[in-house]
Amino acid sequence: MVQAKQNLEAQPDLPRTPRVTYRAASPAAVLAEDGILAVFGFGAGAPDDDDPRYLPVPLESFDAPAPLEAWHVEAEVERGRQDAVHWSAGGSWLFASVTLDERQTGGIEGAAYQAYAQLQRFMRARTGHRVLRMWNYLADINRGEEDAERYKQFCDGRSSGLGDFFARGFPAATAIGHHLREPLLQVYLLACTDEGMAVENPRQVSAWQYPRQYGRTSPGFARGMLMPMRDALAISGTAAVVGHASTHAHDLDAQLDETLLNLESLLATADMPAGFDTHSPLKAYVRHPTDAARVRETLQQRLPGVPVLLMHGDICRRELLVEIDGWRY
Ligand code: 3EB
């Protein structure tokens, strides 16, 4: 299946991308396997585990019981904690997370500043790792008006916490609102000692070039990131944004169609074959629980056999009802 195109040419000397799977198992059982870089639980009922590779994510899944997400590398994995940063590393790959409570940071902007400043400091101390992919989950993402909307304050704090850390290019990213009672900000990342290749979507204005109406600070992320070995594409949170504008406000079916077009366009731009398969785990973030069944039905029909985790999450523009991210191997 490998195409004779430049981006997809195998890079055999470079590290193979972590395998991401959804698993019905306990954290302890998965963490005991060889080469486990990270394990994620979902929602208020997520199990506990003290291992810094285990991260309970404050998003509820519509799948009951929620599976775990596991990242697997072909190497021995070490792990630790440094201040608020939990980390693990193995075979060129690095996982790091920070979870902060806004009540300790004076709000979302301060939390974003601290989370990114700490991650940035941690990454600079470990020379050589480049951040390829980031995830951000925050409470009440759409509360507040205009520049005072919490997502925009998050973007301000993220940017000042980073300084010039992404001057050489932004990672792929996701930013989603959670519904946990506690005002937690969670940020985690995947980094590698080798460089990826950022991919933009020709149907969309690059996020860092969004016009002023979307906030003082443009969101710093790439639409996708080809992994160093060119064996996988990490896909950022993708919604019904065309150009810089949201399309099909409040129309779920049309937003899903537009989102799937954006995903196909991103794959084509990365020189990847069209479509997704059983090895390409995706997540669909759905704003209204009453839309979950419809999203599941549409995705089963349009992406048959693809593992899709359905999450209850708010999208960073309030007119958007659904967003999809994930991996294309
Ligand atoms: C968009 O297309 C939707 O702020 O890191 C998607 C992915 C979005 C990442 C971020 C925001 C972010 O603009 C929003």
Side-chain angles (χ1 to χ4, degrees), residues 161-189:
L162 276 168
D164 66 353
F165 190 58
F166 291 150
R168 298 184 53 199
F170 293 112
T174 296
I176 287 289
H178 69 71
H179 292 271
L180 214 67
R181 286 168 63 99
E182 287 76 35
L184 298 183
L185 169 67
Q186 184 169 77
V187 182
Y188 62 92
L189 62 83

Side-chain angles (χ1 to χ4, degrees), residues 136 151 154-155 158 173-175 204 207 210 219-221 223 236-239 241 315-317 320 323:
N136 307 273
Y151 170 64
F154 161 80
C155 288
R158 167 169 62 180
T174 296
Q204 301 184 296
Y210 279 172
F221 70 96
R223 298 291 176 186
S236 292
T238 303
V241 172
I315 292 80
C316 59
R317 298 183 188 185
L320 294 176
E323 183 171 299

